[in-house]
Amino acid sequence: LRAKQFKSLIRLDILAIMMHQFRWIHQRVQSMEQVWVKAGRSLSAKYNLTERKAKQILVHPGLVTDESGFRMAESAFSGGPLGELVQWSDLISTLHILGHHLHLSASLADLKEILGNNSGSCPPRNPKFTINLIYTDIVGLHQIKALLGRSWTKYRCKIRVLDSFGTEPDFNHEAWAQKHNLKTYWGGFGLMPMQFNTMFPHTPDNTFLGFVVEHPLSSKQTQLLHSTTRRKQALVYGKRATFWEGKGAYLDLIHKYFELHGTVDNNKSSAVPSYVKNHGIISGTEVQTLLRQSKVFVGLSFPYEGPAPLEAIANGCAFLNPRLHPPQSSLNSDFFNGKPNRREVTSQHPYAEAIGEPYVWVVDMDNATDVERALTAILNQTIEPYLPYEYTCEGMLQRVNTLIEKQDFCHGPVSWPPLSVLQVVIPEAGTSCKQACENVGLICEPAFFPHLNSAEALAKHNVDCLQSGSYDSEVVLPAFDNGTRHCLLQSDPLLFSCVRSHPSLIRICPCRDYIKDQIALCKACV
Ligand code: UDP
């Protein structure tokens, strides 16, 4: 990290201002500039970051392009989803602070200028550099494929896909997905599952990229926030009036204990009770001030897995987290329908759920006793702000830097994390590797599956196979069949999966340790 890179993000600003698609992103990047620079300095004081080469990185958020039709950039200022834009902003800041060369693209024309096109009739704008890495999303990946035709595969191993909710291996494998009726617009790309980068560390088959929870900015603002006194006030988590529909009884109950505030885009809706003080859509800094004044941030059970609950607890405000009963997944929810995974979401915010009380209170919204128990406890408690390291600027810089330097899908078998951190766990039949590793305080590491996928490797780990080597493509292999005592090996590396299980098969699980509050990295990885 050279001092020059810390000067400012101004070069980036000029580009971003020119593109309306980057307006919200640009505002966030700029408003957090000081914290990023400070975090970069702090990281470089702890680690030797000099032995790195600056990479040429294409950043193409397909969702913000006009051609995608999602209108995400436009709706950002009127209650539209912001989670993805938060992640793009923080990724751009991270890559810049780490000293890489960024090529921002917000349209098909930009993409064509940077990558060229299929027929070669339009060569890349600047043939002097070779793109080393591409960050895009699923919409962007469709656009890249359409632009380049078959030759998109020359970029295949360089692609990283921002994918909030995750892509499980069976949905990613084109032929498998087709055969098992799992193919949707959002899946079937046949990348390595670790090329999908998630918002939260929920799918160990993918890579956890994350984002940053806004910190107080200047020392003056920090002082101001610290001096803000907490009132008997609740802030409701719901930018759109539709999120409030059918929640009247729950809100009335909370109103018995707290003065209610909201940040709803359109307060004309009758779904928002008249006793709510609505501030409309406000800036991130203003949201922080409201959170500092409030004792509780009230979840309405939607949106799922957004950044805001982490902002609440980072500002010392408890989060009331509605339980989803039954858990929601692509099998039973309109929202998750078509998403390339079968992950079950047990509450509005499972990551926060794991943080637990006194910061996060999981409640059954329809059970007044349950809600009142939580409200009384919150009213009588004082909590300190809490922010896991992985959601700080420094934590994100550390993680993304390690991933960029070490994760390599272009040259031979995946060779990171170091094999020395592999710990093999052999659970009972019917248990997934995600679960098996979690049960012993570890995390499933898919990069290690190939190292367990041979008769010799299994023998080394004391798996007593009567016969082995019967290769098969299933999503639960390698595994041991308890009945026949046969070891079943995986024939298709794209189908290695942490999350699947089979009632009569014992999975052979590759696990590793992790740094507390930096779960993407093993202890020996930094
Ligand atoms: N936010 C904001 N203004 C508001 C309400 C929210 O800037 O009036 C910010 C909030 O601080 C957070 C971001 O919007 O950083 C994303 O919020 P949310 O958790 O609602 O995620 P989403 O559902 O939009 O992906």
Side-chain angles (χ1 to χ4, degrees):
L1 289 160
R2 284 162 290 127
K4 163 166 146 232
Q5 279 140 19
F6 290 142
K7 271 197 193 150
S8 76
L9 298 170
I10 277 178
R11 268 181 310 129
L12 196 70
D13 290 350
I14 292 165
L15 261 176
I17 287 166
M18 291 188 317
M19 307 182 197
H20 70 270
Q21 296 91 337
F22 278 108
R23 198 149 72 91
W24 195 92
I25 291 177
H26 161 247
Q27 279 183 7
R28 178 170 165 98
V29 169
Q30 199 180 39
S31 76
M32 292 173 71
E33 180 173 344
Q34 283 179 40
V35 226
W36 278 110
V37 170
K38 205 167 141 206
R41 291 214 173 100
S42 168
L43 190 76
S44 61
K46 289 179 192 160
Y47 301 96
N48 177 7
L49 300 174
T50 51
E51 304 297 311
R52 303 169 307 127
K53 265 196 168 163
K55 289 189 164 48
Q56 304 285 348
I57 303 183
L58 165 62
V59 176
H60 177 72
L63 273 173
V64 307
T65 60
D66 293 348
E67 293 90 347
S68 77
F70 279 93
R71 301 184 57 78
M72 186 170 270
E74 290 80 353
S75 68
F77 296 93
S78 54
L82 291 177
E84 286 84 352
L85 297 183
V86 164
Q87 196 180 32
W88 280 113
S89 313
D90 296 346
L91 175 67
I92 288 170
S93 302
T94 300
L95 298 175
H96 182 79
I97 292 283
L98 290 173
H100 297 293
H101 303 298
L102 263 69
H103 305 270
L104 299 184
S105 158
S107 68
L108 293 184
D110 291 338
L111 202 57
K112 205 158 154 185
E113 259 194 83
I114 299 168
L115 295 181
N117 68 354
N118 179 18
S119 61
S121 61
C122 161
R125 174 178 49 187
N126 189 346
K128 270 191 263 155
F129 63 77
T130 314
I131 292 289
N132 305 115
L133 212 48
I134 299 175
Y135 284 94
T136 188
D137 50 23
I138 290 172
V139 173
L141 191 50
H142 277 291
Q143 294 173 333
I144 291 173
K145 281 182 78 171
L147 177 71
L148 298 180
R150 277 194 181 173
S151 59
W152 83 277
T153 53
K154 74 177 176 202
Y155 292 106
R156 180 194 282 269
C157 65
K158 299 178 177 178
I159 291 173
R160 306 290 182 269
V161 184
L162 270 63
D163 174 20
S164 307
F165 299 99
T167 294
E168 289 170 352
D170 29 7
F171 289 81
N172 168 58
H173 190 287
E174 193 176 6
W176 180 278
Q178 203 89 53
K179 187 171 157 202
H180 295 85
N181 217 9
L182 302 175
K183 183 96 169 56
T184 69
Y185 171 85
W186 306 99
F189 289 100
L191 298 176
M192 293 286 285
M194 280 175 284
Q195 288 176 264
F196 294 94
N197 287 202
T198 57
M199 290 271 285
F200 290 93
H202 44 53
T203 309
D205 289 307
N206 302 151
T207 296
F208 165 49
L209 180 75
F211 59 93
V212 160
V213 172
E214 259 193 70
H215 310 251
L217 309 170
S218 61
S219 47
K220 208 168 135 209
Q221 275 170 316
T222 311
Q223 263 177 11
L224 193 72
L225 284 176
H226 279 298
S227 62
T228 309
T229 44
R230 237 170 260 285
R231 311 173 189 158
K232 264 174 81 172
Q233 176 177 308
L235 180 63
V236 179
Y237 180 22
K239 284 181 291 193
R240 291 237 149 125
T242 47
F243 303 167
W244 297 60
E245 281 165 12
K247 311 286 159 43
Y250 172 63
L251 291 166
D252 287 348
L253 192 58
I254 299 167
H255 185 228
K256 267 173 54 186
Y257 295 81
F258 294 95
E259 180 179 286
L260 256 64
H261 289 243
T263 56
V264 197
D265 174 37
N266 170 9
N267 66 348
K268 289 183 201 96
S269 165
S270 60
V272 180
S274 55
Y275 51 72
V276 174
K277 287 198 174 164
N278 186 25
H279 301 259
I281 300 294
I282 49 178
S283 73
T285 320
E286 288 167 308
V287 174
Q288 281 191 49
T289 308
L290 276 179
L291 288 168
R292 285 275 170 166
Q293 291 166 352
S294 307
K295 282 202 78 106
V296 61
F297 188 52
V298 177
L300 294 173
S301 78
F302 192 84
Y304 306 131
E305 302 188 307
L310 293 188
E311 284 169 12
I313 57 177
N315 282 292
C317 177
F319 175 51
L320 204 57
N321 185 17
R323 179 176 288 112
L324 299 179
H325 193 69
Q328 300 289 288
S329 74
S330 55
L331 294 177
N332 65 357
S333 130
D334 284 346
F335 179 78
F336 288 114
N337 182 22
K339 297 217 171 14
N341 66 65
R342 219 173 264 152
R343 191 165 59 89
E344 291 199 327
V345 177
T346 49
S347 64
Q348 184 173 0
H349 206 290
Y351 182 90
E353 185 180 346
I355 293 173
E357 295 172 10
Y359 304 100
V360 179
W361 298 75
V362 179
V363 291
D364 180 348
M365 287 171 86
D366 300 324
N367 180 338
T369 321
D370 196 29
V371 176
E372 283 191 288
R373 177 194 69 96
L375 292 177
T376 325
I378 292 169
L379 208 49
N380 293 320
Q381 74 176 10
T382 306
I383 53 170
E384 285 301 313
Y386 173 67
L387 178 58
Y389 182 69
E390 56 202 2
Y391 284 101
T392 63
C393 291
E394 191 184 314
M396 182 154 179
L397 285 170
Q398 182 195 48
R399 181 172 62 253
V400 177
N401 184 50
T402 311
L403 293 171
I404 289 182
E405 299 304 314
K406 306 283 187 186
Q407 230 182 18
D408 178 4
F409 304 108
C410 293
H411 305 95
V414 179
S415 61
W416 184 84
L419 197 53
S420 55
V421 304
L422 165 66
Q423 297 189 46
V424 179
V425 172
I426 303 180
E428 288 182 352
T431 310
S432 73
C433 289
K434 177 180 196 275
Q435 194 56 54
C437 299
E438 268 174 30
N439 290 349
V440 292
L442 301 171
I443 181 167
C444 178
E445 177 49 75
F448 292 148
F449 271 120
H451 300 286
L452 296 181
N453 196 37
S454 68
E456 303 78 62
L458 294 182
K460 204 171 113 198
H461 293 289
N462 303 322
V463 183
D464 185 16
C465 319
L466 195 61
Q467 201 185 332
S468 64
S470 90
Y471 283 77
D472 211 342
S473 52
E474 266 290 345
V475 268
V476 288
L477 306 183
F480 178 71
D481 186 326
N482 221 359
T484 60
R485 303 192 67 76
H486 283 188
C487 287
L488 306 168
L489 303 178
Q490 178 60 265
S491 59
D492 190 334
L494 282 186
L495 287 176
F496 286 126
S497 161
C498 291
V499 293
R500 294 280 172 263
S501 59
H502 186 284
S504 63
L505 293 181
I506 294 176
R507 299 213 51 185
I508 317 292
C509 299
C511 310
R512 66 160 166 86
D513 63 17
Y514 55 84
I515 301 170
K516 186 179 169 332
D517 287 346
Q518 184 64 293
I519 197 167
L521 304 179
C522 68
K523 288 180 183 156
C525 287
V526 290

